[in-house]
Amino acid sequence: MGPESDKPSFSWVSKDIFDTLKDEYNVIYFRAFKEIPKSFDGLVFIIKEMPPLSFFVNNWKSRKIYIPVDFFKSEKHINDASLLLKLFDRIAVHNDLLKRFIDSENVSNVDHYVKYLVERKEPQNRYMWLGVVDYIPDLLRNLSKYPVLSQIPHVFLTDLDHLKKSFHSVVAEGEVGHNVYDVDVTEDKVFIGNYCFEQWSESSQRAAFERSAFAVDFKSDRFYHSTKPPTKVQVYLANDVPVFVNDEHYAVEYIRQFGFDCYTMSDFVFPLTNEMLTSQSTKARQMWSLESIAQQYVNLANQTLSQTRKSYFGYGSIVFSLMVKKLVKLIQSSWNKSQ
């Protein structure tokens, strides 16, 4: 399984899961595709990174499951990789919307497991948001639409160093109409208007989960945002933190199909109603536990091993088409440079 990386997302999506399977299955990690022997005829789980064409040429004997996570940035990005995608025996996505763009009959769903679990304490009069800097413009735009949120204390957690380097573009993208934000940067905080952003850490997130009255999470309908997995909403539910999202958020459709309450801002009232405070954590923790998600991966393996193996001719014809396509691009590039 691999390519192994030091990124936290890798351990959450895969390593934590495969470590639980080591006692029952022979699990081997790789950091580079060239580490996989050409003679290997087992099952290869490929996480996020798209393998080079040479991997498919050299490792045609193995069965391959691809889990792109949030690799694809646009529909065009998927179309450009369409031939490579046909070489995988199975593709597992964390967001059902991606199935609409992938031309393969062997596409399955897989979930994140719920990490960072806490025991709730008496909520304080505040709400929380956490996310990478890329989502701050959407946060600002939605905050301007719902001014009631500006009257409630908050804790916003992000990658502060990244925000300090990019706040000009973040604010410019997040400003709506006559909303113009002043920015103040201190050593441990960034203020955008009246909103304070602090550094994310496991401890700061834990404290926010324990004490926040509710959370908000906003995603736009742009491809990269709408095809992200609804991970944070799942974690909020598992920690009994009521969460409010915008109407186009993918989590609304996904979470509600399992019988969970996923509120949109049109439902928002504060203080929250007793119904909104109803615990959903037991069900969420069971459904998306590490053990449950590990079983999803086992099911993926069994499905893949039971399906008809790609014929050598069919596999080879796709590889040949890709090699021709790559050769044409090289010739075109050389021609353009010579002109």
Side-chain angles (χ1 to χ4, degrees):
M1 188 276 290
E4 193 172 13
S5 78
D6 299 323
K7 295 180 179 179
S9 59
F10 178 82
S11 60
W12 192 347
V13 173
S14 304
K15 194 172 188 304
D16 290 352
I17 293 164
F18 281 89
D19 280 350
T20 69
L21 300 172
K22 277 185 172 180
D23 291 340
E24 192 172 353
Y25 301 92
N26 183 22
V27 176
I28 302 172
Y29 298 110
F30 64 90
R31 293 192 73 90
F33 290 105
K34 63 184 179 182
E35 295 175 10
I36 303 173
K38 294 181 180 180
S39 59
F40 183 69
D41 62 355
L43 186 60
V44 182
F45 277 85
I46 298 164
I47 313 301
K48 191 166 184 172
E49 185 177 331
M50 180 66 74
L53 180 57
S54 58
F55 165 76
F56 294 102
V57 173
N58 294 328
N59 299 90
W60 63 271
K61 291 182 179 180
S62 62
R63 303 284 187 103
K64 305 166 187 69
I65 297 177
Y66 181 44
I67 305 180
V69 195
D70 53 0
F71 176 75
F72 294 112
K73 304 299 188 290
S74 66
E75 186 175 352
K76 181 181 183 303
H77 195 184
I78 295 179
N79 291 337
D80 290 344
S82 58
L83 278 177
L84 279 174
L85 289 172
K86 289 182 182 297
L87 292 171
F88 294 105
D89 297 276
R90 184 160 295 275
I91 300 167
V93 296
H94 284 85
N95 184 315
D96 196 52
L97 296 178
L98 276 176
K99 287 183 179 179
R100 304 175 188 179
F101 304 102
I102 298 175
D103 182 20
S104 172
E105 61 184 20
N106 296 319
V107 183
S108 303
N109 286 83
V110 68
D111 282 303
H112 280 78
Y113 79 94
V114 286
K115 199 172 183 177
Y116 306 116
L117 298 177
V118 306
E119 295 304 319
R120 290 277 277 168
K121 297 179 180 177
E122 186 65 30
Q124 297 174 342
N125 183 31
R126 70 177 188 186
Y127 70 100
M128 68 175 290
W129 173 90
L130 61 90
V132 296
V133 172
D134 293 349
Y135 297 128
I136 292 178
D138 281 314
L139 172 66
L140 295 175
R141 283 192 290 268
N142 279 279
L143 289 172
S144 70
K145 290 167 59 177
Y146 305 106
V148 63
L149 292 175
S150 66
Q151 302 168 27
I152 306 171
H154 62 275
V155 53
F156 293 168
L157 303 175
T158 192
D159 178 355
L160 211 58
D161 287 340
H162 186 187
L163 178 56
K164 287 179 179 180
K165 295 174 183 176
S166 58
F167 69 82
H168 290 294
S169 60
V170 167
V171 170
E173 189 182 346
E175 288 178 341
V176 178
H178 298 293
N179 252 3
V180 178
Y181 295 105
D182 293 324
V183 178
D184 184 27
V185 178
T186 69
E187 183 178 351
D188 59 350
K189 293 180 176 64
V190 172
F191 294 88
I192 301 178
N194 294 322
Y195 300 108
C196 174
F197 293 84
E198 301 175 69
Q199 177 60 43
W200 178 91
S201 66
E202 288 195 26
S203 60
S204 63
Q205 177 177 281
R206 174 176 292 277
F209 276 145
E210 289 175 344
R211 293 293 192 183
S212 297
F214 64 94
V216 296
D217 192 60
F218 302 120
K219 296 285 192 299
S220 73
D221 56 1
R222 287 175 291 174
F223 178 92
Y224 189 52
H225 284 203
S226 63
T227 56
K228 292 281 283 186
T231 316
K232 286 200 289 289
V233 173
Q234 291 169 290
V235 176
Y236 288 134
L237 290 172
N239 283 294
D240 274 334
V241 181
V243 55
F244 294 87
V245 301
N246 50 315
D247 289 334
E248 59 267 34
H249 199 298
Y250 168 68
V252 176
E253 174 185 344
Y254 185 74
I255 297 297
R256 286 179 179 175
Q257 69 178 301
F258 300 113
F260 291 103
D261 293 322
C262 184
Y263 299 106
T264 65
M265 284 304 299
S266 58
D267 303 312
F268 184 76
V269 294
F270 193 74
L272 305 185
T273 66
N274 288 333
E275 182 183 4
M276 292 173 176
L277 296 172
T278 301
S279 174
Q280 304 182 79
S281 61
T282 300
K283 180 180 176 181
R285 291 187 183 201
Q286 291 174 346
M287 178 173 292
W288 298 309
S289 67
L290 179 58
E291 294 73 21
S292 176
I293 304 308
Q295 185 59 50
Q296 288 187 15
Y297 279 66
V298 172
N299 293 343
L300 285 175
N302 290 334
Q303 285 176 319
T304 305
L305 293 172
S306 65
Q307 70 193 45
T308 304
R309 181 187 287 272
K310 290 182 184 294
S311 70
Y312 180 79
F313 175 78
Y315 187 93
S317 64
I318 297 173
V319 170
F320 179 74
S321 296
L322 283 163
M323 292 177 72
V324 170
K325 187 176 179 181
K326 188 173 183 179
L327 180 61
V328 169
K329 281 187 175 180
L330 285 172
I331 293 172
Q332 287 176 337
S333 177
S334 298
W335 173 261
N336 291 335
K337 288 179 180 178
S338 67
Q339 298 304 303

